[in-house]
Amino acid sequence: MEDSVKAGCGGMPVVSLAQQYAANRRRFTLEELAEFQGKWVAFSRDGARILASAATQLELARQAEALGLKRTQFRMEPITDPDVSLVL
């Protein structure tokens, strides 16, 4: 079995949180993310929901704290223009 997939109850594979996050995060379309372009977004731990957004990472962290979210309950990502490459 792969390192990231382990046998769970009844021998069924258990998907890691990272794999679940990546799969759910890919489900967001460019159109859905367009309103957040240039901002930082807090995604739920499993990547299925957007919990908050702000102009900067620090503002987002403060907003999440004000919402009562613990740092382990979300993941922050910048939403960049899909047409701009960040690789130099």
Side-chain angles (χ1 to χ4, degrees):
M1 232 176 233
E2 293 180 23
D3 292 339
S4 58
V5 180
K6 298 180 175 134
C9 187
M12 296 297 294
V14 176
V15 177
S16 75
L17 184 58
Q19 288 175 315
Q20 185 180 21
Y21 179 88
N24 286 334
R25 176 65 181 78
R26 281 192 300 270
R27 289 188 179 109
F28 283 94
T29 66
L30 293 176
E31 291 79 20
E32 290 173 311
L33 295 175
E35 71 179 280
F36 302 105
Q37 190 172 324
K39 296 181 181 179
W40 281 82
V41 172
F43 288 94
S44 58
R45 276 187 69 188
D46 66 358
R49 295 177 294 127
I50 293 176
L51 305 175
S53 67
T56 68
Q57 190 175 17
L58 180 59
E59 287 177 31
L60 182 56
R62 288 180 177 154
Q63 188 178 77
E65 183 179 349
L67 292 170
L69 296 171
K70 292 184 170 81
R71 186 59 188 100
T72 58
Q73 294 177 302
F74 63 96
R75 182 172 172 176
M76 292 190 280
E77 278 189 46
I79 304 301
T80 57
D81 184 339
D83 296 325
V84 175
S85 174
L86 298 178
V87 178
L88 299 176

